[in-house]
Amino acid sequence: MHTFGINQHPCEVAGRGTPGTLEKRTDTDTHRQPSFLLAFQLTQNMKINASKMATPIEEKVDQNLKTRTGMVMISDGKSKPELARLHLSMEMITIQKQDTTTPAPTPTNATHPPIESKERMVQITRQKVGGLGLSIKGGAEHKLPILISRIYKDQAADATGQLFVGDAIIKVNGEYITACPHDDAVNILRNAGDIVVLTVKHYRAATPFLQKQLSRETPESDNDATCAELKADENWKSVNSSRPVSISSEPENRWIDLVSVPLMMAYVTRYIYGTDKLRPNAFEVRGLNGTTTGIIHCDDLAILSQWLKYITDNVVGLTSLQMKLFNRNFPVGERIEYMGWVNEGVINNHISWQSYKPRFLVLKGTEVMLFDSPPLNVTGLTKANVAYKVYQTMFRVVKESETVDSRQHCFLLQSSGHEPRYLSVETRQELLRIENSWNAAIVTSVIKLGRKTFAVSHHGKTGGLTLDWQAGFSLTEGADAAIIWQYKFSQLRGSSDDGKSKLKLHFQDHETRTIETKELECHVLQSLLFCMHAFLTAKVASVDPTFLSSIQQA
């Protein structure tokens, strides 16, 4: 079951070529025909002056939800850009066109079920006791919509004053559930987060049956009459056959949604897909369900920067919320420190990068993981395409002078026994978030690991070099593991190696202040060096009061 209705990976390329393969293309090339373009082509009565500039972003509060809107230019990367309105809510970004008719606004503070069957958006804040405070019946297996069958007094749904028995739930956090079986709908609502936005539509034909259910138990198999009535209802047919219209509080305009992209773990980029080429004054948003906004153009750089900040902030906020929900299932040492999109460079014959592939990076407990698409549940976290131990992996930010192409904000991940991975993110702020999360993950993983021993030889004798979080370095030999020497991490003054198996550690004696060099040989030298680096990094971080405070707050 796909909880969020995934039909397609958000970074797949429809059309020529395959994902991860770069073909020669320019900024005007396309690898996807977005649904908004078809809507533009089918709208014959829409007359817009396409030469208009992008307008400043307007902010307003509608139904207790903050939204932002503004006019932008939209294209598929190939056709001439068209003027459209961008509508941004906390959980969704929507491309809209203006309709020529203006219906009367629907009251949002009604205390009785609405007479007209129109879609409404209602936000619920989940309560610790009682959850959303509602029950549902119906489902695709019964050929019924997902219907609210009970609203519990003084609980979350009741507190909104905007939900009623007989409301059909069309969308949860912007995702359609009209084709979901009953059990899937229950799971979607249960895992929708603490703040849930429901798109609902009232059906008077279903209300008598549901009220009857409140007074006595009636098997759902007796709902034949209700099913027939609902299937004959023209409004219900429209739910499955047409795109809904956005509810606007502006009396002079009515806006029709062309395409909506959910922002939960969405992919935002200014680069042409798969390349290091930055789009001039443009960006794209791709959702988990395979939808895309197309290319959003803003001729004003200030407005472009504002849109990117608002959208990215919403994506980060929603992703952080999902991370917290995941972390409810894990003890402290196994929690997620970071989740977000990165781009991995794919090298060919040791020349410049041939393509970039979007990857979803997760830092969890002692592991760093890369996914082709974000995990949607706890089970999904166990299915990473790549997983390394944090304490055996090196993280290094690439200097601007060292980048291999035009991509900025790059870093390297290299785990023992594996080729380094060259990754990039969209902004400096995101790179700093990853770096801080990495340091936190290092501390968590080393503390959880506690100690690790590597087989070494010392003066021709077999022994074990132990890295211990509390004690530091120690060398043991013999069957009884007798300690030959021991030093604290703070006594290490340097090290050198031959890149193969030989290692020299330089320690300073506390009393004599002299440097004592210990020569070792290890067949897994890289793994030992990376683990040493992790322990030392964790020690430095742990004695930094500011860093310790940030870890405790997190």
Side-chain angles (χ1 to χ4, degrees):
M1 177 189 72
H2 295 295
T3 305
F4 292 88
I6 289 187
N7 299 317
Q8 183 180 11
H9 180 259
C11 302
E12 285 181 344
V13 180
R16 66 181 191 276
T18 57
T21 302
L22 175 66
E23 301 175 57
K24 291 184 179 179
R25 59 171 75 99
T26 66
D27 189 30
T28 58
D29 286 339
T30 181
H31 23 271
R32 180 187 296 227
Q33 181 86 342
S35 55
F36 77 85
L37 182 62
L38 299 177
F40 270 123
Q41 293 170 343
L42 293 173
T43 308
Q44 300 298 324
N45 62 346
M46 183 179 179
K47 296 181 180 180
I48 288 179
N49 180 5
S51 64
K52 280 187 179 180
M53 299 290 186
T55 61
I57 301 171
E58 296 181 6
E59 186 176 298
K60 64 180 180 180
V61 177
D62 186 12
Q63 299 182 36
N64 298 322
L65 298 174
K66 181 182 288 187
T67 60
R68 293 182 172 94
T69 57
M71 301 305 293
V72 294
M73 305 297 288
I74 305 290
S75 78
D76 62 352
K78 184 177 180 180
S79 304
K80 183 178 179 180
E82 299 274 1
L83 191 66
R85 188 172 87 152
L86 203 59
H87 181 279
L88 177 67
S89 65
M90 181 59 201
E91 77 291 335
M92 193 78 61
I93 183 170
T94 303
I95 307 298
Q96 298 176 322
K97 74 177 181 67
Q98 188 175 347
D99 196 7
T100 55
T101 60
T102 306
T106 301
T108 60
N109 58 349
T111 57
H112 300 286
I115 298 175
E116 295 184 3
S117 182
K118 292 183 178 179
E119 290 186 13
R120 314 179 324 269
M121 288 178 64
V122 182
Q123 177 179 297
I124 312 178
T125 300
R126 189 187 302 274
Q127 297 177 351
K128 290 184 179 179
V129 178
L132 297 179
L134 58 82
S135 294
I136 60 171
K137 291 191 181 294
E141 74 271 37
H142 301 295
K143 297 183 179 179
L144 277 170
I146 301 299
L147 294 162
I148 295 178
S149 59
R150 183 187 295 265
I151 292 178
Y152 296 89
K153 186 174 178 58
D154 297 328
Q155 294 191 18
D158 186 41
T160 68
Q162 300 177 47
L163 291 172
F164 309 95
V165 171
D167 281 349
I169 302 177
I170 309 303
K171 292 189 283 187
V172 177
N173 290 340
E175 294 294 325
Y176 282 98
I177 65 167
T178 50
C180 286
H182 178 270
D183 289 348
D184 286 2
V186 170
N187 287 329
I188 290 171
L189 288 165
R190 185 176 292 150
N191 296 298
D194 291 336
I195 298 176
V196 184
V197 178
L198 300 181
T199 302
V200 298
K201 189 173 184 178
H202 191 70
Y203 290 101
R204 299 176 65 191
T207 305
F209 163 71
L210 295 172
Q211 289 174 340
K212 183 179 179 182
Q213 288 282 312
L214 293 176
S215 59
R216 63 174 183 171
E217 290 294 316
T218 303
E220 288 185 345
S221 57
D222 292 340
N223 297 343
D224 293 343
T226 303
C227 289
E229 192 172 354
L230 282 177
K231 284 189 290 184
D233 187 278
E234 292 299 323
N235 289 322
W236 172 242
K237 290 181 181 178
S238 69
V239 171
N240 295 306
S241 63
S242 65
R243 298 290 295 178
V245 187
S246 67
I247 301 174
S248 175
S249 61
E250 300 174 356
E252 69 276 9
N253 290 321
R254 184 168 181 252
W255 298 92
I256 297 176
D257 298 350
L258 300 180
V259 63
S260 294
V261 178
L263 294 178
M264 173 68 76
M265 296 187 283
Y267 173 67
V268 184
T269 183
R270 287 193 63 191
Y271 290 93
I272 299 175
Y273 183 83
T275 77
D276 65 328
K277 307 303 179 187
L278 200 66
R279 294 186 186 277
N281 298 354
F283 65 95
E284 178 186 9
V285 183
R286 297 187 179 202
L288 287 177
N289 58 357
T291 55
T292 172
T293 58
I295 312 305
I296 301 172
H297 303 262
C298 292
D299 50 347
D300 188 312
L301 281 176
I303 295 176
L304 176 75
S305 298
Q306 279 186 312
W307 275 123
L308 281 170
K309 181 184 184 305
Y310 292 145
I311 294 167
T312 302
D313 285 350
N314 286 10
V315 171
V316 171
L318 288 168
T319 303
S320 296
L321 178 60
Q322 184 62 49
M323 190 168 72
K324 290 177 182 178
L325 293 174
F326 281 154
N327 282 340
R328 291 178 179 178
N329 301 282
F330 306 117
V332 174
E334 296 179 12
R335 290 179 181 171
I336 300 169
E337 294 284 353
Y338 175 86
M339 295 197 313
W341 284 101
V342 298
N343 281 274
E344 181 176 9
V346 181
I347 198 168
N348 184 19
N349 296 329
H350 302 286
I351 58 176
S352 62
W353 305 113
Q354 297 301 294
S355 67
Y356 279 86
K357 182 176 182 180
R359 297 276 203 171
F360 196 77
L361 176 70
V362 175
L363 283 170
K364 177 185 177 297
T366 62
E367 289 189 314
V368 53
M369 298 176 282
L370 291 171
F371 297 81
D372 284 340
S373 58
L376 299 181
N377 47 46
V378 173
T379 302
L381 287 166
T382 65
K383 300 177 180 179
N385 299 89
V386 176
Y388 299 140
K389 292 296 182 184
V390 171
Y391 56 79
Q392 288 186 333
T393 304
M394 289 285 286
F395 171 93
R396 184 172 74 84
V397 174
V398 178
K399 298 178 182 178
E400 288 187 17
S401 59
E402 297 175 343
T403 55
V404 299
D405 53 27
S406 298
R407 284 257 180 182
Q408 298 177 324
H409 318 304
C410 302
F411 63 97
L412 284 169
L413 283 182
Q414 183 173 9
S415 187
S416 173
H418 300 275
E419 290 295 320
R421 292 181 177 272
Y422 188 89
L423 305 159
S424 77
V425 290
E426 295 285 325
T427 65
R428 174 66 179 166
Q429 289 78 9
E430 191 67 13
L431 182 58
L432 289 174
R433 283 185 64 230
I434 293 176
E435 187 174 18
N436 291 336
S437 298
W438 181 268
N439 289 332
I442 283 286
V443 174
T444 299
S445 64
V446 169
I447 291 176
K448 183 179 180 182
L449 180 65
R451 67 201 310 266
K452 189 168 178 63
T453 301
F454 292 86
V456 297
S457 61
H458 178 245
H459 295 160
K461 295 182 180 180
T462 301
L465 178 66
T466 298
L467 308 178
D468 188 285
W469 173 245
Q470 300 294 339
F473 295 91
S474 63
L475 179 72
T476 57
E477 291 180 358
D480 58 348
I483 297 177
I484 306 302
W485 49 257
Q486 188 170 8
Y487 296 93
K488 294 183 178 299
F489 287 115
S490 59
Q491 292 180 264
L492 182 68
R493 288 294 176 264
S495 66
S496 58
D497 63 86
D498 65 354
K500 297 178 182 177
S501 62
K502 294 181 179 179
L503 172 66
K504 292 181 180 180
L505 299 175
H506 310 290
F507 298 101
Q508 185 176 51
D509 186 271
H510 277 319
E511 296 180 357
T512 65
R513 313 299 292 175
T514 58
I515 300 297
E516 300 175 356
T517 299
K518 304 299 181 183
E519 296 187 15
L520 304 169
E521 192 165 350
C522 179
H523 293 298
V524 287
L525 180 61
Q526 190 180 58
S527 180
L528 169 58
L529 291 174
F530 287 1
C531 196
M532 250 176 56
H533 185 272
F535 271 78
L536 292 169
T537 300
K539 273 296 177 184
V540 171
S542 68
V543 297
D544 180 348
T546 304
F547 183 84
L548 267 183
S549 175
S550 68
I551 295 298
Q552 290 166 357
Q553 288 175 5

